[in-house]
Structure formats: C-alpha cells, structure tokens
Amino acid sequence: MSSGTSLLPHHILIDHADDAFPVVTINRPEKRNCVSFAMWSELARVFDELSSMPTVRAIILSGAGGSFCAGADISEFDDVRASKEDAERYEHAVEASNEAISKSPKATIAAISGACVGGGCGLALACDFRIADETAYFAIPASRLSIVYDLGETRNLLNAVGFSKAKEILFTGRRYAAQDALEINLIDRIDGPDGLAAANAYAEAMRHSAPLTIAGAKTMLDVLSKGNAEERRDEMSEAMARSVESADYQEGVRAFAEKRNPVFRGV
C-alpha cells in the first residue's frame, strides 16, 4: 500500500501517514458509522492485509465524524438477514471481522469517540486496547432486538468486564458513559477530548517493541484466556523458537549492549 490515505471503499479509510501505526477509519458519519454487510467483510480484509506488513507495530481503529461505531446497519436487515441462511452468512462476516482484529499479530487499539454501540462495541472489544475520550458512550442493546451475541464477542466482553458485569450489559442494554465504562474495565483509559490523538500517543510506547514479541505474547495470553494450552503446545513452542532464532533477537541484544533503540524488522 502507498503512504497517505487510501480508499477501500469510501466507507473504510486507511491512513498510512505513520507506517508504524496505520489508522483504519470507519467512514459513514451520516449514520454514526453503522456497519453494513459489505463493510464487515472489508474490515476483515483490511486488518488481514495490515497484519501482514512488517513495518506495522500497531493498528488503530477509529470512526469518522465524532462517533466510533453505532453498530450494525439495522436498516438493511430485511435484505441481508431475511432468512436463516442469510443470517448465518451475516454472522460469519461479523465474526470474521472481529477475528481478523483479535487474532492480528499486531497490537490493535480502538480510538473511541461518541457512540460505541452494539457491533461497534464488539469491534472495540476485539481490540487489545480501548482508548476513549470524554464524549464516548457504550451500550450493547442485544436484549432490545432479541439478538444473541456470538461466542467470540461474548468471550471478549467477559474477559474485559467479568461475569457479573457482562450479564448486566447483555441483559439490560444499559448505556454507559465513558467514566462508567472505565470503572467496569470496558475501556482502558479516558484521555482528553480526542480519542484518536490519545490512541496515537498510547501506541507510541510500542514504536521500538519487537513485532515477534508482541505476536508471541498475544498467542500466550490468548492460550491462557481460553485454557487450551495442551492443544496449542506446538503453536506456543513455535512462537518462542521463532523469536529467539530471529535476526530481531540478535539486533535486540546488540542494541541493548550499545545502549540504543533497536531497529526491528519482524524477522
């Protein structure tokens, strides 16, 4: 991809002004960035592509026009969820989008302003970190629509807020202001009036971090959270071996001895 802002399509923007921290922006401000069926699929493709780029340290997900994402575009449900088969295809697209974010070997950061609701909250929870500004608010109104969240979205919510609060959020559809969301660990930080600027500042701490360390640590933490260490033993061993056998490991040791910042390349 070239530097600058690219269009994929006009509802998903990618800004490469800083190659280490590309910004993916949901760009449908007239609908508070509600996500259409096509956009779910595009988000998955974009995150898969960015995740393969060695220059990337963290991927920032944001929304245009003062909102992060107000969830799925319910106005198209009569067309895209008209039958059981249609609904299954739709849910698969949503799951693929969230998995592309949560399984990315890069650090992922949600920069949250304004509405972070329903499927938008699911996208934020798929990220490693959630940085909000003072305008942000949160809700999962599944109980108002007779919708059951899928396993991945529910697990991400549970991991963030715990059993009791996950029940409260899903059973009631309650709206949480930014400070309330912070108190229940739905978000990690409230920082000033601009969520995107705060997310970029947060990402800066990872500029000199080893990509293989971030990827390996994400694997280990995912194994611990899911409790499936036995079946993923080979995957964990490979992550550790890949890092210690890498050129980046040698660079890290040299940089430490020379008292300078390392120049990692993800290999």
Side-chain angles (χ1 to χ4, degrees):
M1 293 182 186
S2 60
S3 60
T5 301
S6 54
L7 214 57
L8 296 172
H10 73 283
H11 285 157
I12 304 294
L13 301 175
I14 307 175
D15 189 340
H16 290 278
D18 187 332
D19 285 341
F21 308 125
V23 178
V24 178
T25 302
I26 305 169
N27 184 44
R28 208 182 182 194
E30 72 281 3
K31 287 201 169 189
R32 293 188 304 161
N33 300 317
C34 281
V35 181
S36 67
F37 176 74
M39 290 166 67
W40 290 117
S41 299
E42 186 63 16
L43 279 168
R45 191 194 68 76
V46 164
F47 268 84
D48 282 342
E49 185 171 350
L50 292 174
S51 294
S52 70
M53 299 177 69
T55 57
V56 172
R57 295 295 180 269
I59 306 168
I60 298 171
L61 178 62
S62 70
S67 286
F68 178 72
C69 174
D73 184 357
I74 296 173
S75 69
E76 67 171 5
F77 276 14
D78 285 346
D79 295 321
V80 299
R81 294 177 62 119
S83 67
K84 178 183 176 183
E85 292 74 20
D86 289 340
E88 287 175 351
R89 277 191 292 271
Y90 189 94
E91 290 306 321
H92 177 74
V94 175
E95 289 172 21
S97 178
N98 287 323
E99 285 190 6
I101 297 171
S102 63
K103 293 184 178 180
S104 172
K106 312 298 184 179
T108 52
I109 305 171
I112 306 168
S113 299
C116 183
V117 176
C121 207
L123 286 170
L125 286 163
C127 293
D128 297 313
F129 307 102
R130 288 162 294 284
I131 310 300
D133 64 29
E134 296 151 356
T135 70
Y137 62 91
F138 305 81
I140 299 178
S143 62
R144 311 291 174 86
L145 296 166
S146 191
I147 291 174
V148 177
Y149 260 40
D150 68 41
L151 183 62
E153 289 177 304
T154 305
R155 181 192 296 116
N156 291 338
L157 176 64
L158 177 62
N159 286 344
V161 304
F163 202 66
S164 179
K165 285 300 178 184
K167 286 183 177 181
E168 177 181 285
I169 291 167
L170 293 172
F171 292 6
T172 69
R174 173 184 163 183
R175 174 169 159 167
Y176 297 80
Q179 186 59 45
D180 296 327
L182 182 65
E183 289 173 3
I184 63 172
N185 298 319
L186 188 59
I187 59 176
D188 297 291
R189 180 176 296 187
I190 303 170
D191 195 344
D194 186 338
L196 181 55
N200 274 290
Y202 193 82
E204 189 61 35
M206 296 175 238
R207 186 174 295 279
H208 300 294
S209 297
L212 295 178
T213 296
I214 291 173
K218 287 188 72 167
T219 294
M220 298 300 183
L221 290 167
D222 188 59
V223 167
L224 288 169
S225 72
K226 293 176 180 174
N228 57 356
E230 253 336 289
E231 61 193 79
R232 296 175 66 182
R233 189 169 297 279
D234 289 346
E235 183 183 352
M236 292 188 290
S237 296
E238 181 183 351
M240 295 175 69
R242 186 182 176 204
S243 65
V244 79
E245 293 169 0
S246 69
D248 275 0
Y249 172 73
Q250 297 173 19
E251 164 64 8
V253 172
R254 283 195 301 270
F256 185 83
E258 295 166 9
K259 296 182 173 56
R260 59 175 174 83
N261 286 323
V263 181
F264 292 126
R265 295 184 171 84
V267 293

